[in-house]
């Protein structure tokens, strides 16, 4: 994660120096997360375009003291949690005296929006915008089942992704009715011109009247497997 860059001059800190973040400094991407009191070691110094920045590797005390929402957001956004780039004006020498780690006074979680596919999946799984999307598991599949059972409209027409067969889907099987398999996911009862049979919900396309619900489930199922 990057941060403020300071004006150039001789670097005040060198690789191996112990440093501490000054009170009042915040994470630029997350303005509700303060960094005051975070401590670590300089592992790289970069001087370019009249600016000096320092890559700091956080120590164990800081890693243990990070707010859980910061951890969630790093995981959600694919950000490096163990290190951060900071400008010279953001840090000071750490003489080893323990100081309190500054804590957020008010976490501001963005509201979920129907326009964002990840947020629609979070809605289905009862999560907030700060939460990373969870992996597919029996527990999360059961949670997704409860949401879909309450919102899908049956029967509906759909197409099999594997061979393009036109199907009519009559219901979503309750996971209690069969052995829930993480490789197969949720099953629904579908019918072609000849017979009824179970089909993984993730293998349906063009679900008439339910395109967004079925499409969002498939997006999550295949990408967080």
């Amino acid at each position: 994660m990057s941060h403020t860059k300071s004006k150039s001059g001789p670097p005040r800190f060198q690789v191996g120096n112990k440093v501490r973040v000054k009170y009042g400094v915040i994470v630029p991407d997350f303005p509700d997360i303060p960094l005051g009191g975070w401590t670590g070691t300089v592992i790289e110094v970069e001087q370019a375009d009249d600016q000096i920045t320092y890559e700091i590797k956080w120590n164990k005390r800081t890693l243990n003291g990070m707010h859980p929402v910061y951890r969630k957001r790093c995981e959600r956004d694919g950000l490096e949690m163990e290190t951060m780039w900071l400008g010279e004006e953001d840090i000071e020498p750490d003489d080893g005296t323990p100081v309190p780690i500054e804590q957020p006074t008010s976490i501001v979680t963005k509201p979920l929006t129907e326009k964002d596919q990840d947020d629609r999946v979070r809605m289905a799984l009862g999560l907030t915008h700060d939460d990373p999307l969870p992996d597919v598991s029996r527990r999360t599949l059961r949670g997704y089942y409860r949401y879909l059972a309450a919102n899908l409209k049956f029967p509906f027409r759909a197409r099999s992704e594997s061979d393009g067969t036109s199907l009519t889907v009559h219901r979503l099987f309750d996971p209690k009715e069969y052995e829930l398999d993480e490789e197969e996911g949720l099953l629904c009862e579908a019918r072609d011109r000849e017979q009824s049979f179970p089909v993984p919900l993730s293998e349906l396309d063009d679900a008439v009247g339910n395109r967004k619900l079925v499409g969002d489930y498939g997006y999550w199922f295949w990408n967080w497997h």
Side-chain angles (χ1 to χ4, degrees), residues 65-159:
M66 288 176 176
H67 196 281
V69 166
Y70 177 73
R71 293 175 173 276
K72 285 182 178 182
R73 291 176 183 176
C74 285
E75 184 180 346
R76 179 195 69 190
D77 297 345
L79 299 174
E80 180 64 54
M81 189 169 56
E82 289 78 14
T83 64
M84 186 182 293
W85 285 90
L86 292 172
E88 200 161 84
E89 70 279 6
D90 298 325
I91 56 178
E92 58 191 6
D94 176 22
D95 61 6
T97 305
V99 300
I101 290 178
E102 196 173 5
Q103 295 298 324
T105 55
S106 177
I107 293 292
V108 181
T109 299
K110 291 182 181 178
L112 296 171
T113 170
E114 279 279 351
K115 296 178 181 179
D116 183 276
Q117 189 171 36
D118 284 7
D119 271 358
R120 294 198 300 269
V121 174
R122 290 184 180 100
M123 289 178 196
L125 293 169
L127 304 174
T128 73
H129 182 75
D130 283 334
D131 293 303
L133 293 187
D135 292 336
V136 173
S137 68
R138 287 182 176 86
R139 182 184 63 80
T140 53
L141 283 167
R142 284 192 288 267
Y144 220 125
Y145 162 77
R146 288 189 290 271
Y147 181 81
L148 291 174
N151 289 280
L152 286 173
K153 295 176 176 61
F154 296 98
F156 64 86
R157 302 287 295 171
R159 183 169 53 83

Side-chain angles (χ1 to χ4, degrees), residues 189-220:
E189 182 182 0
R191 184 176 184 86
D192 59 14
R193 292 182 178 181
E194 301 176 357
Q195 60 184 342
S196 294
F197 46 87
V199 176
L201 184 65
S202 60
E203 294 180 10
L204 295 181
D205 198 7
D206 294 334
V208 178
N210 295 291
R211 280 190 175 88
K212 192 176 285 186
L213 287 169
V214 174
D216 290 345
Y217 167 78
Y219 159 77
W220 169 72

